[in-house]
Amino acid sequence: EVQLEESGGGLVQAGGSLRLSCKASGFRFHEYAVGWFRQAPGKEREPVSCISDFDGTKVYADSAKGRFIISSDNVKNTVYLQMNSLKSEDTAVYYCAAILRARWELLESDVERLWVEYDYWGQGTQVTVSS
């Protein structure tokens, strides 16, 4: 059974940093790509970043470029999202999700990789940035 568990959220002041973790079980990273998404109160869910360990792809949404860094640890089967220079508008529930490699390899652009519907989702972790 594929499971994803996020951790690392919390309350941080504007300008601060947090590192989110997404622990995967039931699959290995060569089988799936993993993405981070967020949903703020009253807003639609939006992509933040995604990574595929098997082809070395890393994609960032414009909101994350230059501030967030996505990485993976194959030994720990964990994907990280290092978030720096946090702003109040980063406040949201952050989710990680996984997509089958076979579906990922059909995607032709970074926009598709960010916005495709992923196959499995975690429960989310709250990030609150105070101004």
Side-chain angles (χ1 to χ4, degrees), residues 59-102:
V59 183
Y60 296 94
D62 288 345
S63 60
K65 287 179 181 176
R67 299 189 300 130
F68 295 1
I69 301 171
I70 193 168
S71 62
S72 63
D73 185 327
N74 287 340
V75 175
K76 296 182 178 180
N77 223 33
T78 300
V79 171
Y80 303 98
L81 185 69
Q82 176 68 42
M83 305 189 295
N84 302 318
S85 303
L86 284 162
K87 308 173 184 178
S88 57
E89 51 262 46
D90 294 317
T91 294
V93 177
Y94 283 71
Y95 300 88
C96 68
I99 180 172
L100 282 162
R101 177 173 177 170

Side-chain angles (χ1 to χ4, degrees), residues 43-60:
K43 295 188 176 181
E44 297 290 318
R45 187 176 65 203
E46 63 177 8
V48 176
S49 183
C50 53
I51 185 170
S52 61
D53 189 66
F54 46 83
D55 65 12
T57 299
K58 295 181 182 180
V59 183
Y60 296 94

Side-chain angles (χ1 to χ4, degrees), residues 11-16 85-91 127-131:
L11 174 64
V12 63
Q13 289 188 331
S85 303
L86 284 162
K87 308 173 184 178
S88 57
E89 51 262 46
D90 294 317
T91 294
V127 172
T128 302
V129 184
S130 63
S131 55

